[in-house]
Amino acid sequence: MLVELSNHLAEGCPTVEDFLKAEGLAYHFAPIPSNPVYVIVSYINDTQIQYLQSLKTVSKITQIGTSYQLASRKWKKNSTVVKTGSLEIGGEYPVLIAGPCAVESEQQLYDIASFLSKNGVKFLRGGAYKPRTSPYSFQGMKKQGLELLRKVANEFDMKVVTEVLDYSLLDEVLEYADILQVGTRNMHNYQFLNGLGKVDKPVLLKRGLSATIEEWLLAAEHILLGGNEKVILCERGIRTFETATRNTLDLSAVALVKELSHLPVIVDPSQGTGLSKLIAPMSVAAIAVGSDGLMIETHNDPDNALSDGHQSVNFAQFEELLHQLRNISRLNNRPFDFEMQTVNLRSR
Amino acid sequence: MLVELSNHLAEGCPTVEDFLKAEGLAYHFAPIPSNPVYVIVSYINDTQIQYLQSLKTVSKITQIGTSYQLASRKWKKNSTVVKTGSLEIGGEYPVLIAGPCAVESEQQLYDIASFLSKNGVKFLRGGAYKPRTSPYSFQGMKKQGLELLRKVANEFDMKVVTEVLDYSLLDEVLEYADILQVGTRNMHNYQFLNGLGKVDKPVLLKRGLSATIEEWLLAAEHILLGGNEKVILCERGIRTFETATRNTLDLSAVALVKELSHLPVIVDPSQGTGLSKLIAPMSVAAIAVGSDGLMIETHNDPDNALSDGHQSVNFAQFEELLHQLRNISRLNNRPFDFEMQTVNLRSR
Amino acid sequence: MLVELSNHLAEGCPTVEDFLKAEGLAYHFAPIPSNPVYVIVSYINDTQIQYLQSLKTVSKITQIGTSYQLASRKWKKNSTVVKTGSLEIGGEYPVLIAGPCAVESEQQLYDIASFLSKNGVKFLRGGAYKPRTSPYSFQGMKKQGLELLRKVANEFDMKVVTEVLDYSLLDEVLEYADILQVGTRNMHNYQFLNGLGKVDKPVLLKRGLSATIEEWLLAAEHILLGGNEKVILCERGIRTFETATRNTLDLSAVALVKELSHLPVIVDPSQGTGLSKLIAPMSVAAIAVGSDGLMIETHNDPDNALSDGHQSVNFAQFEELLHQLRNISRLNNRPFDFEMQTVNLRSR
Amino acid sequence: MLVELSNHLAEGCPTVEDFLKAEGLAYHFAPIPSNPVYVIVSYINDTQIQYLQSLKTVSKITQIGTSYQLASRKWKKNSTVVKTGSLEIGGEYPVLIAGPCAVESEQQLYDIASFLSKNGVKFLRGGAYKPRTSPYSFQGMKKQGLELLRKVANEFDMKVVTEVLDYSLLDEVLEYADILQVGTRNMHNYQFLNGLGKVDKPVLLKRGLSATIEEWLLAAEHILLGGNEKVILCERGIRTFETATRNTLDLSAVALVKELSHLPVIVDPSQGTGLSKLIAPMSVAAIAVGSDGLMIETHNDPDNALSDGHQSVNFAQFEELLHQLRNISRLNNRPFDFEMQTVNLRSR
């Protein structure tokens, strides 16, 4: 903790010094001519920070080092591998999570899951409860959507990834889902995150619309601190001044988070760009920077999708994407999980 | 709805045209040389938009006019006055909501409420459940905090304004609060907003950290659509690249929203700037642009506050602020609610 | 300067320490368990910072205190008053700078200046060379515009404020203008700013579209360092994600800069909001937070203006604005310069 | 052009209609119940837009289609290949531009150019005049730096890429450089861009710090309109709220601009991230999304660089980067220009 003084006392500030002594905190005083500072060596708690922060003689307090601990690679060197059944995220193979933005009908979901499964995809995504900016938009099939997800996923031996819109819906979603998605609008909802810390299922934590990397990792910290270590981060674009794309997909954040944290990171180029034509190039780029997987909105008939059709790929586009992903995976010497199954199936 | 075509068909696009006809929608075709467009005159629903959006021949669809209706002044000309008991927000007098960031103890709350009440303030704010970015920070006194708020407010005949952190806490907060605050992190939590639409108490809806004015009004629309017309908007600063202030308080949004919507708008300069020294000037400026009130973090001892002491004013600063507000209210010929009571008290 | 170590050497880092000793720099080592740091007390130059920054054992270097010096109130306590002839900016009275976005004709300029002058306005603004995003927009009357500005201003005994678009045009503008405006697009053009440091006329330095307060003050530092102390800062809105207003006018920056710097600060609500209906409320608010003046785009016929008509006020709106400014100036006990002249005229 | 009416005149708006008729403009009126609009089919000039924009009955005017023309792929289908001598940018092979942030000495430049040349790099970058936020930082070797760039580049048969800081320096830089770089701070300096339109050398136009894609292409339009068709775009990161990276490198902009425009686009990951460890992953990702080349800050001794050492790669890192680029180029079936030479050399 670095404490800057506002009144430039070359001799130090008695109030600050008295407090540090009274609290038994180790510190150094550095009489920088224009800005004398105290560097506090001991651990300092929240109340102590608050006290210092509000002293008139203190102009600024700066945290030294990271504010998250459990999410940091300093705390845990080895990359975390999140397991659900026999499947792994953050392990040897990048994963592919695909499916429609919203579950619309059993037939739709069956067709999509059947197609994905044939191509080796093992994670089925789909929205049952949809968060929509306008109250006049389609709000999802709700509980019926969850039931369909489970039923169809079981048929193809796939895992269900779906969003928990609100803490009040947690129990319901827990009954049907394998991986609980926290949407961008909920990343700052700490009460909810604390609740997810008590759950024994993986949580896919999307980055907030305007969350810094540090805030994103602190959100993960809320879950980790509750005891749930199965956290998967998901970059999905941030809000900037640019309006030509829906969001600005921040791939440098992926590369950086892989260094700062041991948690797996995947990328959602559908939400991240909002334009189906940008999904393929940004998917390949995401893998190139080290993403542990991709989440792709896929639809049998995007032109008639009830939600986000313009940012979904159709089957032909998806197959072309798989082709490109196979290429980049060869380049990386890190094949995708969907390639694994294809190999296995062939070898039978 | 404006539909731009991607392939520049001077003769129009049969697919689009067929669809519009089949759906019985009134439209005009305008053969602008570089960008022919269709303007759709009829109301067009979500599914129809989705269909058009995903046609290859369509390059862009633009909403014409506002996406919110109930929140718009086009829908309701007269300004909404939100009532709680005999008090009004959005009415003749701007209101002052004040109190500590977090409830810390009965004594603290009693001292603050006593001071505020003597100065005519009728709304007591205070956090019982605190949303904190770091899980290692003070999280509030929770239910005990709510009980103290109610008890102390009753003693001074004040109204309680406090945040509902999550839908699961709604019933608990409803029991104690007069006005339910939705924090900036929850503005996009539509499931929650829909729930608040069923409640018979005023909702103070803070603008999201990176919410556009349109998204903010659409969030209000979610509540209004549920049947709760008692929505108060609160500008509290947006996230920008600037780091010298905690957020960038957007006062032009206040002036603009007063035109676009009939709902009352207040301003929170404590959250908006994060610096106690900026609270007074930005408060006066907020009233100057037409704000219906202010929400001020006030603390008996900011230097020892457990939360946000650096953005709270102490009693002396608060009295100085009241002095400035009285002046600006004279200028506007729109006295504050706290001045009313002072007058009444004196006339007794 | 604060130097954080990346490898957590409890004993300090020999490389850093050797360097600091070799360079004769005073420092402290603080063995914070998770993040040991060096605090450097002596002045440290650019090359030394670069060296430390690139050491593998150093994870981060943080500036302590401000990076600007001449622009800081730490360096000069008293507010700077910029003079041009007998007029002052940053002195006792806030100033009003008004005129059309672009000079369009002698008649237009004469009508506007005549109107402004009658109302006590002493500074005439007008664009001769116009920076336009699109090359297909009106680019200004150029040199002829400068000549008209000078001629008309002389007639009404007003001062000319106009933009220098580029260093190559400096000599030309110097011949005609009293105050040289640096536009938002040039705030980062340091070569140009250095050139303005050699000039003996006031410079009105607009804040860059996405410049932090610190960068803005550093831009002023470039001019001050060249020897020109006549720098006036002008807040004109920053670029954010919000699209309902042209820019987000940052009034908290005005209040903050008045504390951080001794330089005068004025506000341009025309550029800042891009909407003529927001000019009056934001002007009053700007004065409320302590602005030393306003720059208002005024036009005799905004509906036919060749540039920015939608963000200009017409004569009736301007008179209404003056009325409101007189009120706020009474409130502040700080009358405007335009009121002074009115008073003088009356007392004759 | 789409003209929305503010007062919902179901019968159309006489003023607008009269104007359109008087000006002989073709239009359609669409009586959308809540928002009647006019769609103007004819070309409409700046003055006409201004007039409409300021009518009280008009609430909003929206451009339909793109505002740039010469830079658009609608105007020119085939990708532009920019040539300098026998070298091409935007052609079959992506290019590599490398060199130090700033020229520091003949020895430094010679060592770097020698190393780069051996690896097949044909474009030598280096700053002679450096734009620095702080006036206290190293400002470059200026003219001497230009002379060294030319001399050393000639020795290794390389092309010189260097920034023109200001229009006043254009003639000087033209004498020494093969490609003129326009920095991010100058992208909005239209006077300067117009000047570059008259020059017969390629211009490398960096995206402005907070420029939208449309503004970037409009900046290119300024140069193209002057007659210079040799424009190379360079994405270098935009300013967002994120502070963990220096800027947010916007790779989706690269993929999108390749669709919107025929001009070549390259990427600068050094400026874009500000962190040397992110250069390699973001370089590979840039090529994956279709970038026509890369600009890499390379230094023989980053630890002692006088400028931006922390975002430069050293020789070992550069060779590792080349290895990764060779891999991704194989994947794309689009070898780099540096590979070409290696092949040629080997085949001799």
Side-chain angles (χ1 to χ4, degrees):
Chain A
M1 202 61 55
L2 181 79
V3 180
E4 300 182 35
L5 302 179
S6 54
N7 55 357
H8 313 156
L9 301 171
E11 305 301 316
C13 169
T15 328
V16 174
E17 200 135 353
D18 292 352
F19 174 73
L20 297 175
K21 279 180 183 156
E23 302 278 314
L25 299 167
Y27 64 91
H28 286 258
F29 175 67
I32 303 176
S34 59
N35 280 72
V37 297
Y38 285 91
V39 184
I40 301 169
V41 178
S42 310
Y43 171 78
I44 167 167
N45 69 32
D46 213 46
T47 317
Q48 292 167 330
I49 293 173
Q50 290 286 346
Y51 176 78
L52 287 169
Q53 203 156 28
S54 49
L55 289 178
K56 280 204 180 48
T57 44
V58 169
S59 71
K60 199 174 166 191
I61 291 191
T62 311
Q63 175 86 21
I64 297 175
T66 56
S67 46
Y68 46 89
Q69 301 175 17
L70 302 182
S72 168
R73 248 192 220 282
K74 289 184 184 170
W75 184 81
K76 178 169 181 291
K77 291 278 172 225
N78 295 332
S79 294
T80 289
V81 178
V82 172
K83 290 185 188 169
T84 171
S86 64
L87 301 180
E88 296 182 348
I89 297 179
E92 200 175 345
Y93 315 119
V95 300
L96 208 49
I97 301 172
C101 174
V103 178
E104 296 168 21
S105 72
E106 181 161 0
Q107 190 60 49
Q108 172 234 28
L109 199 61
Y110 186 91
D111 289 351
I112 296 173
S114 165
F115 166 77
L116 293 173
S117 179
K118 258 180 240 155
N119 282 284
V121 177
K122 296 171 191 68
F123 295 90
L124 180 64
R125 62 147 288 156
Y129 292 84
K130 296 300 304 171
R132 303 299 296 267
T133 307
S134 167
Y136 304 110
S137 300
F138 175 57
Q139 310 286 319
M141 291 182 75
K142 305 189 176 173
K143 190 171 182 182
Q144 201 192 341
L146 291 174
E147 290 166 353
L148 288 177
L149 274 170
R150 186 71 273 158
K151 184 179 168 193
V152 172
N154 284 351
E155 190 145 351
F156 295 100
D157 197 20
M158 295 175 85
K159 298 292 176 189
V160 169
V161 182
T162 197
E163 181 168 353
V164 190
L165 255 198
D166 188 273
Y167 192 47
S168 61
L169 297 167
L170 178 57
D171 287 341
E172 190 177 313
V173 178
L174 268 174
E175 201 182 328
Y176 297 100
D178 299 299
I179 297 182
L180 308 170
Q181 182 178 320
V182 177
T184 188
R185 295 174 183 81
N186 267 324
M187 194 213 80
H188 288 289
N189 191 342
Y190 305 117
Q191 182 79 6
F192 179 33
L193 298 178
N194 294 340
L196 291 170
K198 303 300 178 197
V199 161
D200 188 30
K201 285 201 171 166
V203 174
L204 193 151
L205 179 66
K206 291 206 161 186
R207 182 179 182 183
L209 197 57
S210 61
T212 62
I213 290 172
E214 185 171 23
E215 289 171 341
W216 190 19
L217 291 171
L218 273 168
E221 188 88 358
H222 276 269
I223 304 172
L224 296 169
L225 198 60
N228 185 351
E229 297 176 4
K230 298 174 180 172
V231 177
I232 305 151
L233 301 167
C234 180
E235 161 66 28
R236 47 78 67 208
I238 55 173
R239 176 160 282 183
T240 68
F241 60 81
E242 179 60 75
T243 54
T245 46
R246 182 168 167 177
N247 296 292
T248 298
L249 193 65
D250 183 7
L251 291 186
S252 55
V254 176
L256 196 54
V257 167
K258 291 298 296 175
E259 292 218 352
L260 296 172
S261 176
H262 53 86
L263 295 172
V265 188
I266 69 166
V267 170
D268 177 345
S270 303
Q271 290 283 337
T273 66
L275 296 169
S276 60
K277 63 187 169 189
L278 296 184
I279 292 177
M282 295 307 281
S283 291
V284 175
I287 296 302
V289 300
S291 176
D292 292 304
L294 296 167
M295 189 165 198
I296 309 282
E297 291 188 14
T298 319
H299 201 282
N300 52 339
D301 184 8
D303 294 357
N304 288 305
L306 291 179
S307 172
D308 282 354
H310 58 288
Q311 67 187 32
S312 297
V313 292
N314 62 25
F315 290 175
Q317 291 167 325
F318 191 82
E319 284 173 341
E320 167 58 25
L321 173 62
L322 289 184
H323 173 70
Q324 293 182 38
L325 292 178
R326 271 190 208 97
N327 282 342
I328 185 90
S329 76
R330 256 200 296 282
L331 173 68
N332 283 2
N333 288 321
R334 195 185 176 202
F336 266 86
D337 65 339
F338 71 83
E339 299 180 89
M340 291 303 95
Q341 180 165 334
T342 315
V343 172
N344 293 346
L345 285 171
R346 279 180 192 156
S347 64
R348 278 177 204 171
Chain B
M1 202 62 54
L2 181 79
V3 180
E4 299 182 35
L5 302 180
S6 54
N7 56 357
H8 312 159
L9 301 173
E11 304 302 316
C13 170
T15 328
V16 173
E17 202 135 351
D18 292 352
F19 175 73
L20 297 176
K21 280 180 183 156
E23 302 276 315
L25 298 167
Y27 64 90
H28 287 258
F29 175 65
I32 303 177
S34 58
N35 281 73
V37 297
Y38 286 91
V39 184
I40 301 169
V41 178
S42 309
Y43 171 78
I44 168 166
N45 68 33
D46 213 47
T47 317
Q48 293 166 331
I49 294 173
Q50 290 286 344
Y51 175 77
L52 288 169
Q53 203 156 29
S54 49
L55 289 178
K56 279 204 179 47
T57 44
V58 169
S59 72
K60 199 175 166 191
I61 290 191
T62 310
Q63 174 86 20
I64 296 175
T66 55
S67 47
Y68 46 89
Q69 301 175 16
L70 303 181
S72 169
R73 247 192 220 280
K74 291 182 183 172
W75 185 80
K76 177 169 181 290
K77 292 278 173 224
N78 294 331
S79 294
T80 289
V81 177
V82 172
K83 290 185 188 171
T84 171
S86 63
L87 301 181
E88 297 182 349
I89 297 179
E92 199 174 346
Y93 314 119
V95 300
L96 209 49
I97 302 172
C101 174
V103 178
E104 296 169 21
S105 72
E106 180 161 1
Q107 190 60 48
Q108 171 234 27
L109 198 61
Y110 185 93
D111 289 351
I112 295 173
S114 165
F115 165 77
L116 293 174
S117 178
K118 256 180 241 157
N119 281 285
V121 177
K122 297 172 191 65
F123 297 90
L124 180 64
R125 62 147 288 157
Y129 291 84
K130 295 302 303 171
R132 303 299 296 268
T133 308
S134 166
Y136 304 110
S137 300
F138 174 57
Q139 311 285 318
M141 291 183 75
K142 306 188 177 176
K143 190 171 180 181
Q144 201 191 342
L146 292 173
E147 290 166 352
L148 288 177
L149 275 169
R150 187 71 272 161
K151 183 177 169 195
V152 171
N154 285 350
E155 190 144 354
F156 295 100
D157 195 22
M158 296 175 85
K159 299 292 177 189
V160 168
V161 183
T162 197
E163 180 168 354
V164 190
L165 255 198
D166 188 274
Y167 193 46
S168 61
L169 297 168
L170 178 56
D171 287 340
E172 190 176 314
V173 178
L174 268 175
E175 201 182 327
Y176 297 101
D178 299 299
I179 297 182
L180 308 170
Q181 182 178 319
V182 177
T184 189
R185 297 173 182 82
N186 267 324
M187 193 213 79
H188 289 290
N189 191 343
Y190 305 118
Q191 182 79 5
F192 180 35
L193 298 178
N194 294 339
L196 291 171
K198 305 299 179 198
V199 160
D200 187 31
K201 284 201 173 167
V203 174
L204 193 153
L205 179 66
K206 292 208 161 184
R207 182 179 183 183
L209 197 58
S210 61
T212 61
I213 289 172
E214 185 171 23
E215 289 171 341
W216 190 19
L217 290 172
L218 274 168
E221 188 88 358
H222 277 268
I223 304 173
L224 295 169
L225 198 61
N228 185 351
E229 297 176 3
K230 298 175 181 170
V231 177
I232 305 150
L233 300 167
C234 180
E235 160 67 29
R236 45 77 68 207
I238 55 174
R239 176 161 283 185
T240 68
F241 61 81
E242 178 60 74
T243 53
T245 45
R246 181 168 168 179
N247 296 292
T248 299
L249 193 64
D250 183 7
L251 291 186
S252 54
V254 176
L256 196 54
V257 166
K258 289 299 294 176
E259 292 218 352
L260 297 172
S261 176
H262 53 85
L263 296 172
V265 187
I266 68 166
V267 171
D268 177 345
S270 304
Q271 289 283 337
T273 65
L275 296 168
S276 61
K277 63 187 169 188
L278 296 183
I279 290 177
M282 294 308 280
S283 291
V284 176
I287 295 303
V289 298
S291 176
D292 292 305
L294 297 167
M295 189 167 196
I296 308 284
E297 292 187 12
T298 319
H299 202 281
N300 53 336
D301 185 8
D303 295 357
N304 288 305
L306 290 180
S307 173
D308 283 353
H310 58 291
Q311 67 188 33
S312 297
V313 292
N314 62 26
F315 289 176
Q317 291 166 324
F318 191 83
E319 284 174 340
E320 168 58 25
L321 172 62
L322 289 184
H323 173 70
Q324 293 183 37
L325 292 178
R326 269 187 211 100
N327 282 342
I328 186 90
S329 76
R330 255 200 299 281
L331 172 67
N332 282 2
N333 287 320
R334 195 184 175 202
F336 265 87
D337 65 339
F338 71 83
E339 299 180 88
M340 290 303 94
Q341 180 163 336
T342 315
V343 171
N344 293 345
L345 286 171
R346 279 177 191 156
S347 65
R348 278 175 202 171
Chain C
M1 202 62 55
L2 181 79
V3 180
E4 299 181 35
L5 303 179
S6 54
N7 55 358
H8 313 157
L9 302 172
E11 304 302 315
C13 169
T15 328
V16 173
E17 202 135 352
D18 291 354
F19 174 74
L20 297 176
K21 280 180 183 156
E23 302 277 315
L25 298 167
Y27 65 91
H28 286 259
F29 174 66
I32 302 176
S34 59
N35 281 73
V37 296
Y38 285 90
V39 183
I40 302 169
V41 179
S42 310
Y43 171 78
I44 167 167
N45 68 33
D46 212 48
T47 317
Q48 292 166 331
I49 294 173
Q50 290 285 348
Y51 175 78
L52 287 168
Q53 203 156 30
S54 48
L55 289 178
K56 279 202 181 47
T57 44
V58 170
S59 72
K60 198 172 165 194
I61 291 191
T62 310
Q63 176 86 21
I64 297 176
T66 55
S67 46
Y68 46 88
Q69 301 177 16
L70 303 181
S72 168
R73 247 191 221 281
K74 290 183 182 168
W75 184 79
K76 177 169 181 292
K77 292 278 172 223
N78 295 331
S79 294
T80 289
V81 177
V82 172
K83 290 184 188 173
T84 170
S86 64
L87 302 180
E88 296 183 348
I89 297 179
E92 199 174 345
Y93 315 119
V95 299
L96 208 49
I97 301 172
C101 174
V103 178
E104 297 169 20
S105 72
E106 179 160 2
Q107 189 62 47
Q108 171 234 29
L109 198 61
Y110 185 92
D111 289 352
I112 296 173
S114 166
F115 166 78
L116 294 173
S117 179
K118 259 180 238 156
N119 282 284
V121 177
K122 296 171 190 68
F123 296 90
L124 179 65
R125 62 147 287 155
Y129 291 84
K130 296 301 303 172
R132 302 299 296 267
T133 308
S134 166
Y136 304 109
S137 299
F138 174 58
Q139 310 286 318
M141 291 182 75
K142 305 190 174 172
K143 189 168 182 184
Q144 200 192 343
L146 292 173
E147 289 165 352
L148 289 177
L149 275 169
R150 187 72 272 161
K151 183 179 169 194
V152 172
N154 284 351
E155 190 146 351
F156 295 101
D157 196 20
M158 296 175 84
K159 298 292 176 189
V160 168
V161 182
T162 198
E163 181 168 353
V164 190
L165 256 197
D166 189 273
Y167 192 47
S168 62
L169 297 167
L170 179 56
D171 287 341
E172 190 177 314
V173 178
L174 268 175
E175 200 182 329
Y176 297 100
D178 298 300
I179 297 182
L180 308 170
Q181 182 177 320
V182 177
T184 189
R185 298 174 180 80
N186 266 325
M187 193 214 80
H188 288 290
N189 189 342
Y190 304 118
Q191 181 79 6
F192 179 35
L193 299 178
N194 294 341
L196 292 171
K198 303 300 178 197
V199 159
D200 187 29
K201 285 201 172 166
V203 175
L204 193 152
L205 179 66
K206 291 208 161 183
R207 183 179 180 183
L209 198 57
S210 60
T212 62
I213 291 172
E214 185 171 23
E215 289 171 342
W216 189 19
L217 291 171
L218 274 167
E221 189 88 359
H222 276 269
I223 304 173
L224 295 168
L225 198 60
N228 185 350
E229 296 176 4
K230 297 174 180 170
V231 178
I232 304 151
L233 301 167
C234 180
E235 160 66 29
R236 46 78 66 208
I238 55 174
R239 176 160 282 184
T240 68
F241 59 82
E242 179 59 75
T243 54
T245 45
R246 180 167 169 178
N247 296 291
T248 299
L249 193 65
D250 183 7
L251 291 187
S252 54
V254 176
L256 196 54
V257 167
K258 290 299 294 178
E259 291 218 353
L260 297 172
S261 176
H262 53 85
L263 296 172
V265 187
I266 69 167
V267 171
D268 177 345
S270 304
Q271 290 282 337
T273 66
L275 296 168
S276 60
K277 63 186 170 188
L278 296 183
I279 291 177
M282 295 307 281
S283 291
V284 176
I287 295 302
V289 299
S291 175
D292 292 304
L294 296 167
M295 189 166 198
I296 309 284
E297 292 188 12
T298 318
H299 201 281
N300 52 336
D301 184 9
D303 295 356
N304 288 304
L306 292 178
S307 172
D308 282 353
H310 58 289
Q311 67 187 31
S312 296
V313 292
N314 61 26
F315 289 176
Q317 292 166 326
F318 192 82
E319 283 173 342
E320 167 59 25
L321 172 62
L322 290 184
H323 173 70
Q324 293 183 37
L325 292 178
R326 272 189 207 97
N327 282 342
I328 186 89
S329 76
R330 257 201 297 281
L331 173 67
N332 282 2
N333 288 321
R334 195 185 176 203
F336 267 87
D337 64 339
F338 71 84
E339 299 180 89
M340 289 303 95
Q341 180 163 335
T342 315
V343 171
N344 293 346
L345 286 171
R346 280 178 191 158
S347 64
R348 280 175 202 171
Chain D
M1 202 61 56
L2 181 79
V3 179
E4 299 181 35
L5 302 179
S6 54
N7 56 357
H8 313 157
L9 301 171
E11 302 306 310
C13 169
T15 330
V16 173
E17 200 136 354
D18 293 352
F19 175 73
L20 297 175
K21 279 179 184 157
E23 302 277 315
L25 297 167
Y27 64 91
H28 287 258
F29 174 65
I32 303 176
S34 59
N35 280 73
V37 297
Y38 286 90
V39 184
I40 301 170
V41 179
S42 311
Y43 171 78
I44 168 167
N45 69 32
D46 212 47
T47 316
Q48 292 166 330
I49 294 173
Q50 290 286 344
Y51 176 77
L52 288 168
Q53 202 156 31
S54 48
L55 289 179
K56 280 204 179 44
T57 45
V58 169
S59 72
K60 199 174 165 192
I61 291 190
T62 311
Q63 175 85 21
I64 296 176
T66 54
S67 47
Y68 46 88
Q69 301 177 17
L70 303 181
S72 168
R73 248 192 220 281
K74 291 182 182 170
W75 186 79
K76 178 169 181 289
K77 292 278 173 224
N78 294 331
S79 294
T80 290
V81 178
V82 172
K83 290 185 187 172
T84 171
S86 63
L87 301 180
E88 296 182 348
I89 297 179
E92 200 175 345
Y93 315 119
V95 299
L96 210 48
I97 302 171
C101 174
V103 178
E104 296 169 19
S105 71
E106 180 161 1
Q107 190 60 48
Q108 171 234 29
L109 198 61
Y110 185 92
D111 289 352
I112 295 173
S114 165
F115 165 77
L116 293 173
S117 179
K118 257 181 241 156
N119 282 285
V121 177
K122 296 171 191 68
F123 296 90
L124 179 66
R125 63 146 288 156
Y129 291 83
K130 296 301 303 171
R132 302 299 297 267
T133 307
S134 167
Y136 304 109
S137 299
F138 174 58
Q139 310 286 319
M141 292 182 75
K142 305 188 175 176
K143 191 173 180 180
Q144 201 192 342
L146 291 173
E147 290 165 352
L148 289 177
L149 274 169
R150 187 70 272 161
K151 184 179 168 193
V152 172
N154 284 350
E155 189 146 353
F156 295 101
D157 196 21
M158 295 176 85
K159 298 291 177 189
V160 168
V161 183
T162 197
E163 180 169 354
V164 189
L165 253 198
D166 188 273
Y167 193 46
S168 61
L169 297 167
L170 178 56
D171 287 341
E172 190 177 314
V173 178
L174 268 174
E175 200 181 328
Y176 298 101
D178 298 299
I179 297 182
L180 308 170
Q181 182 177 321
V182 176
T184 189
R185 295 174 184 82
N186 266 325
M187 193 214 79
H188 288 290
N189 190 343
Y190 305 118
Q191 182 79 5
F192 179 35
L193 299 178
N194 294 340
L196 292 171
K198 305 298 179 197
V199 160
D200 187 30
K201 285 201 171 166
V203 175
L204 193 152
L205 180 65
K206 292 207 160 184
R207 182 179 182 183
L209 197 56
S210 62
T212 61
I213 290 172
E214 184 171 24
E215 290 171 341
W216 191 18
L217 290 171
L218 273 168
E221 188 88 359
H222 276 269
I223 303 173
L224 295 169
L225 198 61
N228 186 351
E229 297 176 4
K230 299 175 180 170
V231 177
I232 305 151
L233 300 167
C234 180
E235 161 67 29
R236 47 76 69 207
I238 55 174
R239 176 161 283 184
T240 68
F241 60 82
E242 178 60 74
T243 53
T245 45
R246 181 167 167 177
N247 296 293
T248 298
L249 193 65
D250 184 6
L251 291 186
S252 54
V254 176
L256 196 54
V257 167
K258 290 300 294 178
E259 292 218 352
L260 297 172
S261 177
H262 53 85
L263 296 172
V265 187
I266 69 167
V267 171
D268 177 346
S270 304
Q271 290 282 336
T273 65
L275 296 168
S276 60
K277 62 186 170 188
L278 296 183
I279 291 177
M282 294 307 281
S283 291
V284 176
I287 295 302
V289 298
S291 175
D292 292 304
L294 296 167
M295 189 165 197
I296 308 284
E297 292 188 13
T298 318
H299 202 281
N300 52 338
D301 183 10
D303 294 357
N304 288 306
L306 291 179
S307 174
D308 283 352
H310 57 290
Q311 67 188 33
S312 297
V313 293
N314 63 26
F315 289 177
Q317 292 166 325
F318 191 82
E319 284 173 340
E320 168 57 24
L321 172 62
L322 289 184
H323 173 69
Q324 293 183 37
L325 292 178
R326 271 189 208 98
N327 282 343
I328 186 89
S329 76
R330 256 201 298 280
L331 172 67
N332 283 1
N333 287 322
R334 195 185 177 202
F336 266 87
D337 65 338
F338 72 83
E339 299 180 87
M340 290 302 95
Q341 179 164 336
T342 314
V343 171
N344 293 345
L345 286 171
R346 279 178 192 157
S347 64
R348 279 175 205 172

